[in-house]
């Protein structure tokens, strides 16, 4: 039985590919150096390649929110920002369900995660009930609504909205990679 080659995530030695030198010491062989180069090429391709986007559509019900926000976290599991992505997705999804026709019977919302250097998390709604607004002041204890948007503003490098009440909105937040979750 042949076992698949396992390469460590840090580009280190694949399990089972080592050479013994004449002294009896283990040394890297040409195969391992080639594989390490391949792992580095794969990482560069992933990080510096073309933008990658993943999308999912969910029924416009509150019981779908947990699965949708876990989707966002999963797409960023290797970045140190998965928790931030989940929090941002949670807030944007909650707002779509509460403040648009997405939360009405037959409604839906979509989530899109795009990676290219940094990350954009976007939630699509079906419109209605006005245009999303972002806070430009600091939340106070008396602030009744929109507190989650303050959290997003503090976590994200940018945020915005595109669309209309008639056609739907895409509300997005951009995360910088290379820093840990807050």
């Amino acid at each position: 039985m042949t076992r698949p080659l396992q390469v460590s995530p840090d580009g280190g030695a694949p399990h089972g590919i080592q050479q013994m030198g004449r002294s009896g010491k283990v040394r890297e062989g040409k195969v391992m150096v080639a594989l390490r180069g391949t792992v580095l090429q794969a990482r560069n391709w992933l990080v510096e390649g073309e933008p990658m986007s993943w999308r999912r559509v969910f029924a416009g019900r509150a019981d779908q929110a947990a699965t949708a926000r876990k989707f966002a976290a999963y797409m960023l599991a290797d970045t140190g920002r998965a928790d931030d992505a989940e929090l941002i997705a949670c807030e944007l999804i909650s707002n779509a369900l509460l403040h648009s026709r997405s939360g009405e019977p037959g409604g839906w919302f979509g989530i899109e995660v795009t990676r290219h250097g940094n990350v954009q998390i976007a939630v699509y709604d079906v419109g209605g009930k006005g245009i999303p607004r972002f806070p430009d002041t600091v939340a106070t204890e008396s602030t009744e609504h929109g507190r989650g948007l303050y959290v997003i503003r503090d976590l994200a490098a940018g945020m915005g909205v595109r669309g209309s009440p008639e056609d739907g909105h895409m509300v997005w937040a951009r995360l910088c990679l290379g820093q840990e979750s807050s």
Side-chain angles (χ1 to χ4, degrees), residues 95-157:
N95 286 348
L97 294 174
L98 184 63
H99 301 296
S100 78
R101 291 188 308 264
S102 291
E104 295 176 1
W108 62 272
F109 67 92
I111 184 165
E112 178 181 59
V113 178
T114 302
R115 288 180 66 163
H116 189 240
N118 292 317
V119 173
Q120 179 173 289
I121 300 163
V123 172
Y124 294 79
D125 66 36
V126 294
K129 301 184 182 179
I131 299 171
R133 305 231 184 269
F134 298 104
D136 55 357
T137 60
V138 177
T140 64
E141 288 183 28
S142 64
T143 304
E144 291 185 36
H145 301 288
R147 298 191 88 150
L149 291 175
Y150 289 104
V151 173
I152 292 174
R153 188 186 67 189
D154 290 343
L155 291 175

Side-chain angles (χ1 to χ4, degrees), residues 152-153 155-160 172-176:
I152 292 174
R153 188 186 67 189
L155 291 175
M159 54 194 296
W172 58 270
R174 186 174 41 257
L175 287 174
C176 291

Side-chain angles (χ1 to χ4, degrees), residues 1-90:
M1 173 194 269
T2 314
R3 291 186 347 180
L5 181 64
Q6 297 176 0
V7 179
S8 65
D10 64 357
H15 301 290
I17 296 188
Q18 296 178 338
Q19 289 182 329
M20 285 285 212
R22 289 183 194 200
S23 65
K25 294 182 179 176
V26 175
R27 63 186 170 109
E28 290 186 357
K30 291 180 182 176
V31 172
M32 183 163 17
V33 172
L35 286 173
R36 180 174 290 141
T38 302
V39 170
L40 293 175
Q41 287 173 335
R43 181 162 177 75
N44 288 340
W45 172 79
L46 177 65
V47 174
E48 298 172 10
E50 295 295 317
M52 295 183 294
S53 292
W54 298 271
R55 290 180 174 176
R56 286 199 57 192
V57 174
F58 295 89
R61 300 189 319 258
D63 67 337
Q64 299 295 295
T67 304
R69 62 176 206 263
K70 292 291 182 192
F71 169 76
Y74 180 77
M75 292 298 132
L76 300 181
D78 65 325
T79 67
R81 300 299 305 264
D83 291 341
D84 292 341
E86 188 171 357
L87 180 61
I88 288 169
C90 179

